[in-house]
Amino acid sequence: MEKITSLAKRRGFIFQSSEIYGGIQGFWDYGPLGTELKRNIKAEWWKSMVYGREDVVGIDASIIMNPEVWKASGHLEAFTDPLVECKICHQRIRADNEEEISGHEKSHKDKKVEWTEAKSFNLMTEVFLGVTEPKLKAYLRGEITQGVFVNFSNVVSSNRVKIPFGIAQIGKAFRNEITPGNLTFRSREFEQMELEYFVKPEDAESKKTFEYFKNLRMDWYTGLGINKDKLRFHDHADDERAHYAKYATDIQYDAPFGWSEFEGIHHRGDWDLGRHKLTYKDPDTNENFTPWVIETSGGVDRAALFFLIDSYKEDEKRIYLALHPKIAPYKAAIFPLLANKPDLVEKARKIYENLKKSFVVTFDDRGNIGKRYFAQDEIGTPYCITVDFQSLEDNMVTVRDRDTATQARIGIDKLEGYINSKLEQ
Ligand code: ATP
């Protein structure tokens, strides 16, 4: 984790929020490369979950909603974490986090730690609206999901959707987490990418849909290069499930701090639409019913963190991020062999200007080629393209592959096709 944290800061992926004022616990800023990584993750998710499907549409709901939403959804009563307090130092820790509890007990060395009974704390972040007193107490959304449910009837009546269908959304959520930590893993402000998929209230069919989405989401992560052996499903036992869930499975990653949730697949039954008193009228049979919901709820920040951790490689010569080209911040870096040869610089610039129209690419003429390779490897740029003296004669360039460090000569007019073919793999 130390290596990832240091690389994330050094190369501009992740910074502490308001660092010059000492930071603020549980909040993070994304630098230029982290922003690209996150945008790519979100774009790939949207492509796979919305554009690639006929049965899903997207929405973008507001962060602050009428507080009645949270009463109805159960979040004001049930959105809580159980905490225990150490009777020696009064630090509070999540009662369900055995690793932290035992770590804390060890930190008191010979003293025997006693804990208070577990107590619940609400995770919703309060905000106050209006300019005159009394102000309206509202909440920053604790999950983006409710914005989908309260718009269910709007979407049905304004679009040609028919059950089974889904509504997708990506956006910020806020939780007053008691123990934020592990870089962005548990933050107080984070982004979620979610699909709410509405089905008929039928046991066998809905279970099938649940299984289908579990596998679809797992395949999405492995398709973007996450090591299969580091991923697993974790089915929730009865006492682990959230207040709304009929069944729940987490996709977990074997992080340096232990197996941790990446994404939750939840069978929410009719909990939410039922609480909001929303129903669906089948246009074919005129039957009125409350649909059931299968949800896939992933964290953009956790995905970004796990992609960074999983792709981090070190050998005796270099550090590199073996990110899939689809999510790598830059698809290619273009170099003139020597910065003081105007012919080389001009040709390299032309290639850069041209590729820039289709991909996010970067130009670098600082230092020597070895140093440039090193710098690009560290941020996961899959291809380095070098213009040398030979290129002036034959219009070919050297393309060096990040993972194998092998080089190939490729025609300048073939570069776009070459990068595209790699993005498709
Ligand atoms: P955890 O118990 O690990 O905090 P959760 O079970 O409360 O997570 P969900 O409510 O299922 O999480 O939220 C869905 C997804 O949103 C999670 O899988 C995770 O990727 C992301 N997420 C939830 N809380 C946070 C957080 N505090 N910081 C970053 N991402 C989060």
Side-chain angles (χ1 to χ4, degrees):
M1 266 321 270
E2 261 167 44
K3 288 178 179 172
I4 297 291
T5 308
S6 130
L7 181 122
K9 174 157 190 215
R10 185 158 38 85
R11 299 309 311 272
F13 282 92
I14 303 168
F15 306 127
Q16 211 183 359
S17 163
S18 26
E19 190 183 298
I20 59 168
Y21 289 101
I24 172 165
Q25 210 195 3
F27 294 88
W28 298 94
D29 294 340
Y30 285 84
L33 297 182
T35 304
E36 291 306 325
L37 174 64
K38 245 173 71 155
R39 284 173 69 97
N40 292 341
I41 291 170
K42 289 188 278 184
E44 284 305 316
W45 187 89
W46 200 264
K47 256 194 242 164
S48 141
M49 302 301 278
V50 186
Y51 296 152
R53 307 181 62 101
E54 273 183 64
D55 55 351
V56 175
V57 290
I59 66 159
D60 187 7
S62 65
I63 286 174
I64 297 176
M65 295 188 273
N66 187 314
E68 292 298 319
V69 172
W70 302 109
K71 237 190 250 170
S73 71
H75 280 81
L76 293 188
E77 309 147 26
F79 198 48
T80 49
D81 270 349
L83 292 189
V84 287
E85 193 174 300
C86 166
K87 288 191 179 168
I88 303 174
C89 67
H90 304 289
Q91 186 175 337
R92 288 174 179 167
I93 289 179
R94 271 172 72 151
D96 55 1
N97 193 332
E98 282 165 26
E99 235 168 276
E100 266 190 46
I101 296 227
S102 79
H104 187 85
E105 287 176 350
K106 281 189 200 126
S107 75
H108 283 295
K109 299 208 171 93
D110 302 333
K111 286 192 192 141
K112 175 154 174 37
V113 173
E114 285 184 50
W115 297 97
T116 61
E117 290 286 300
K119 261 200 246 158
S120 288
F121 286 79
N122 199 286
L123 299 183
M124 296 293 287
T125 314
E126 295 173 359
V127 284
F128 294 89
L129 304 176
V131 285
T132 52
E133 299 291 344
K135 293 185 179 172
L136 172 69
K137 180 160 106 177
Y139 301 90
L140 299 179
R141 61 186 175 190
E143 59 173 27
I144 63 170
T145 325
Q146 295 306 320
V148 169
F149 295 130
V150 297
N151 278 297
F152 175 75
S153 302
N154 285 337
V155 173
V156 171
S157 62
S158 59
N159 287 264
R160 293 225 208 125
V161 287
K162 218 166 124 182
I163 276 183
F165 78 94
I167 304 179
Q169 184 175 211
I170 297 179
K172 291 257 181 172
F174 301 80
R175 293 182 189 175
N176 248 330
E177 297 283 3
I178 321 290
T179 50
N182 289 323
L183 201 58
T184 52
F185 177 76
R186 183 166 286 109
S187 315
R188 289 181 167 147
E189 173 177 341
F190 54 97
E191 247 177 315
Q192 294 185 306
M193 40 193 184
E194 292 195 341
L195 172 72
E196 306 303 323
Y197 197 79
F198 302 95
V199 296
K200 283 195 169 158
E202 286 166 0
D203 269 324
E205 271 307 303
S206 68
K207 185 84 205 299
K208 244 197 243 165
T209 310
F210 177 74
E211 292 298 325
Y212 161 78
F213 277 112
K214 263 172 65 173
N215 293 319
L216 185 84
R217 294 304 305 143
M218 183 65 105
D219 292 347
W220 188 78
Y221 290 111
T222 54
L224 286 175
I226 296 246
N227 180 351
K228 280 193 180 76
D229 301 334
K230 295 246 170 182
L231 290 169
R232 71 175 187 197
F233 287 121
H234 165 75
D235 295 328
H236 283 208
D238 290 349
D239 58 346
E240 259 181 291
R241 275 199 300 271
H243 62 276
Y244 49 74
K246 233 171 149 63
Y247 325 104
T249 297
D250 295 338
I251 297 179
Q252 293 185 331
Y253 182 75
D254 187 8
F257 42 89
W259 284 96
S260 313
E261 175 179 339
F262 215 120
E263 167 150 351
I265 323 296
H266 307 126
H267 187 316
R268 296 177 79 117
D270 64 0
W271 167 264
D272 305 271
L273 291 183
R275 294 285 290 222
H276 297 304
K277 301 193 173 53
L278 295 169
T279 57
Y280 172 81
K281 187 170 182 182
D282 190 307
D284 301 324
T285 60
N286 272 341
E287 186 196 354
N288 227 324
F289 59 88
T290 307
W292 284 0
V293 175
I294 311 298
E295 163 185 83
T296 73
S297 174
V300 181
D301 310 81
R302 281 191 194 176
L305 179 63
F306 291 152
F307 278 121
L308 282 178
I309 293 174
D310 197 68
S311 67
Y312 184 92
K313 308 264 183 289
E314 258 181 17
D315 59 29
E316 57 293 344
K317 291 201 201 97
R318 60 185 184 136
I319 293 171
Y320 65 106
L321 294 182
L323 289 169
H324 192 291
K326 282 183 178 160
I327 56 169
Y330 297 127
K331 308 306 168 210
I334 299 106
F335 315 144
L337 181 63
L338 298 171
N340 58 0
K341 298 287 175 201
D343 289 1
L344 298 183
V345 174
E346 192 189 333
K347 201 161 186 84
R349 278 236 150 245
K350 246 193 209 149
I351 296 173
Y352 166 69
E353 294 296 338
N354 205 28
L355 290 178
K356 198 151 71 90
K357 292 179 199 150
S358 312
F359 312 104
V360 180
V361 290
T362 182
F363 180 88
D364 193 1
D365 60 2
R366 294 160 305 165
N368 62 35
I369 287 282
K371 278 202 184 121
R372 294 182 213 156
Y373 283 159
F374 188 85
Q376 295 301 327
D377 283 347
E378 230 188 16
I379 59 171
T381 307
Y383 304 105
C384 288
I385 299 169
T386 306
V387 173
D388 55 21
F389 293 105
Q390 182 73 23
S391 313
L392 301 175
E393 311 285 318
D394 63 5
N395 272 330
M396 312 256 294
V397 285
T398 301
V399 179
R400 183 247 194 199
D401 181 280
R402 173 196 64 202
D403 299 346
T404 58
T406 51
Q407 304 190 353
R409 287 296 278 184
I410 293 182
I412 292 173
D413 57 343
K414 303 265 175 348
L415 283 173
E416 189 173 339
Y418 181 81
I419 297 175
N420 265 326
S421 72
K422 299 291 180 183
L423 286 173
E424 289 320 309
Q425 279 170 13

